[in-house]
């Protein structure tokens, strides 16, 4: 299992700092770190983290190309920490 | 996160102890800081974070990042869950029992009357068939408790309100129209409570959204409790 946690937000962000999303090895997930806009990217990172054991720090925002791709529409920025539980 | 740390965290939640998880984002180092009666201490294994910073995250009930020489440290509080005590196992209470846990306020339904607080009427809910003063004494009203009285019967509502006014409950609400409110207020003042103390009671109960059905009233009550939690002393809504 991997655990994603919102560490910081700037501007209008849908989930507050401290919000959790847990991801199972098969990709099932529960909880949320945004309004659904960056969850797919976080699940992808969670897979890598479960494989390597090394935590990742992600940042999504309107200035970030990845966020445009996954569609962070609210105009805010969010920083997320992803760690393996093992 | 090591599974043993997660187990400790979950056990703290189950047993009603507040904790703060400190995570150094540069290398993943983690420590669970227990909050005792004397307040918070600084993390032992993660340098550069003060006891005050740990306590501030807990007080705000919001994760915060402390900047240290070794990089940012996330302080994520896990507080004791709030709860909702409902006196009067009436129709509004049935809706509250089904929905309140969705906003972090699991409900306990209290009613001494036969046939009211039954599992058939409240599937899966926490039920106490007892007089409210005895039930509330056993449960223990604290600063994480909200209480709403819905029985519309002074024999049941008044002992509950008396217990609540003598407690640190963060929200007290009472159903009733204008006449009920006036006579109830009078009774409580005659029982020795100051007018200021009685003013802690939210009545008419719930936000003023024109609620009519039991479900609508239940929603207006939950919305008012959320308002009290999120806008302490500074609600944008006229009360």
């Amino acid at each position: 299992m991997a655990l994603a946690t919102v560490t910081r937000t700037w501007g209008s962000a849908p989930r507050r700092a401290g919000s959790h999303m847990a991801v199972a090895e098969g990709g099932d997930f529960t909880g949320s770190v945004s309004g659904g806009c960056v969850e797919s990217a976080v699940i992808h990172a969670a897979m890598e983290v479960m494989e390597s054991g090394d935590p990742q720090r992600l940042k999504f925002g309107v200035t970030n190309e990845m966020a445009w791709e996954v569609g962070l529409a609210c105009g805010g920025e969010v920083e997320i920490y992803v760690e393996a539980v093992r | 996160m090591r599974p043993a740390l997660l187990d400790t965290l979950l056990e703290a939640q189950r047993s009603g102890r507040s904790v703060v998880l400190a995570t150094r984002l540069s290398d993943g180092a983690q420590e669970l800081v227990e909050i005792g009666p004397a307040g918070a201490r600084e993390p032992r294994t993660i340098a550069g974070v003060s006891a005050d910073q740990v306590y501030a995250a807990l007080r705000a009930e919001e994760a915060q990042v402390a900047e240290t020489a070794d990089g940012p440290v996330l302080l994520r509080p896990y507080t004791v869950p709030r709860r909702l005590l409902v006196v009067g196992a009436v129709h509004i209470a049935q809706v509250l029992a089904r929905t309140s846990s969705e906003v972090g306020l699991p409900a306990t339904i209290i009613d001494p009357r036969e046939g009211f607080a039954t599992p058939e009427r409240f599937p899966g809910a926490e039920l106490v068939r007892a007089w409210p003063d005895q039930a509330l004494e056993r449960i223990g009203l604290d600063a994480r408790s909200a209480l709403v009285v819905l029985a519309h019967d002074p024999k049941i509502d008044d002992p509950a309100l008396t217990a609540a006014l003598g407690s640190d409950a963060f929200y007290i609400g009472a159903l009733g129209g204008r006449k009920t409110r006036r006579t109830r207020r009078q009774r409580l003042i005659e029982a020795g409570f100051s007018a200021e103390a009685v003013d802690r009671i939210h009545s008419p109960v719930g936000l003023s959204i024109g609620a009519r059905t039991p479900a609508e009233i239940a929603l207006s009550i939950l919305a008012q409790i959320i308002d009290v939690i999120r806008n302490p002393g500074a609600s944008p809504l006229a009360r």
Side-chain angles (χ1 to χ4, degrees), chain B residues 174-187:
Chain B
L175 189 70
R178 204 167 356 131
K179 183 155 169 273
T180 308
R181 286 206 310 279
R182 203 175 49 235
T183 54
R184 178 168 56 217
R185 187 183 170 79
Q186 211 170 339
R187 284 197 309 276

Side-chain angles (χ1 to χ4, degrees), chain B residues 147-159:
Chain B
L147 175 113
V148 60
V149 301
L150 306 172
H152 233 296
D153 178 345
K155 282 202 306 297
I156 298 171
D157 287 349
D158 281 13

Side-chain angles (χ1 to χ4, degrees), chain B residues 105-228:
Chain B
L105 293 160
T108 299
I109 314 296
I110 302 163
D111 201 311
R113 296 170 290 184
E114 181 132 14
F116 277 73
T118 65
E120 290 75 25
R121 284 166 50 76
F122 293 89
E126 187 86 22
L127 301 172
V128 181
R129 207 188 132 192
W131 287 93
D133 45 348
Q134 292 160 7
L136 293 173
E137 164 135 28
R138 200 163 59 227
I139 291 166
L141 280 172
D142 57 20
R144 307 293 290 174
S145 307
L147 175 113
V148 60
V149 301
L150 306 172
H152 233 296
D153 178 345
K155 282 202 306 297
I156 298 171
D157 287 349
D158 281 13
L161 290 172
T162 302
L165 290 176
S167 79
D168 292 331
F170 75 89
Y171 174 91
I172 307 170
L175 189 70
R178 204 167 356 131
K179 183 155 169 273
T180 308
R181 286 206 310 279
R182 203 175 49 235
T183 54
R184 178 168 56 217
R185 187 183 170 79
Q186 211 170 339
R187 284 197 309 276
L188 289 168
I189 286 172
E190 276 165 20
F193 290 104
S194 67
E196 197 185 26
V198 178
D199 284 343
R200 279 177 68 195
I201 301 171
H202 291 267
S203 186
V205 75
L207 292 186
S208 177
I209 54 172
R212 287 189 182 177
T213 68
E216 290 172 0
I217 295 166
L219 275 179
S220 79
I221 293 169
L222 287 180
Q224 186 169 52
I225 299 174
I226 293 166
D227 179 38
V228 167

